[in-house]
Amino acid sequence: MTEQELNRVVQYVTASTSYAREMVANIITVGFAELAALANTSTQRFERETLLEYVHRWTIVKTGQPEPLVREVLGCAGRWLDEFYEQLAREHPELLKGHEN
């Protein structure tokens, strides 16, 4: 995901919620970065729901933000998370199980 795409996600989520841009940017950046890191380093295969739950949990721990806040922000960014997941499925099919191309 490019910096421009990430900024678009942050703008959308910030406009859709009552949270500060910096907080939204931090949550989204941490969540998306972990998803990318998993694709590059993991040898374990994940189903979509398991992978996204892990990203939520990781983001909660790394940002120190409350669970409802992180879930709302990442949920609002869900369209982009799904697009990123689809990109990972194309580029790293060995990471994802239960995904049909």
Side-chain angles (χ1 to χ4, degrees), residues 10-38:
V10 170
Q11 285 178 322
Y12 174 82
V13 174
T14 300
S16 299
T17 65
S18 60
Y19 304 119
R21 187 183 197 306
E22 296 77 26
M23 182 187 312
V24 168
N26 185 42
I27 290 169
I28 290 172
T29 301
V30 168
F32 279 55
E34 183 58 19
L35 193 54
L38 278 173

Side-chain angles (χ1 to χ4, degrees), residues 83-96 99-101:
E83 287 175 10
F84 196 39
Y85 178 87
E86 292 296 323
Q87 179 182 349
L88 290 175
R90 286 188 304 275
E91 296 173 9
H92 301 278
E94 70 281 358
L95 175 66
L96 309 171
H99 177 81
E100 297 180 41
N101 286 327

Side-chain angles (χ1 to χ4, degrees), residues 40-79:
N40 290 323
T41 62
S42 182
T43 58
Q44 182 178 356
R45 294 171 53 96
F46 297 96
E47 291 184 12
R48 179 185 179 280
E49 293 77 23
T50 303
L51 182 62
L52 294 178
E53 180 61 24
Y54 171 80
V55 168
H56 279 99
R57 295 279 171 201
W58 174 263
T59 304
I60 291 164
V61 169
K62 291 302 275 185
T63 63
Q65 297 294 342
E67 182 175 351
L69 170 67
V70 170
R71 289 192 180 278
E72 182 179 356
V73 168
L74 291 180
C76 198
R79 180 179 108 199

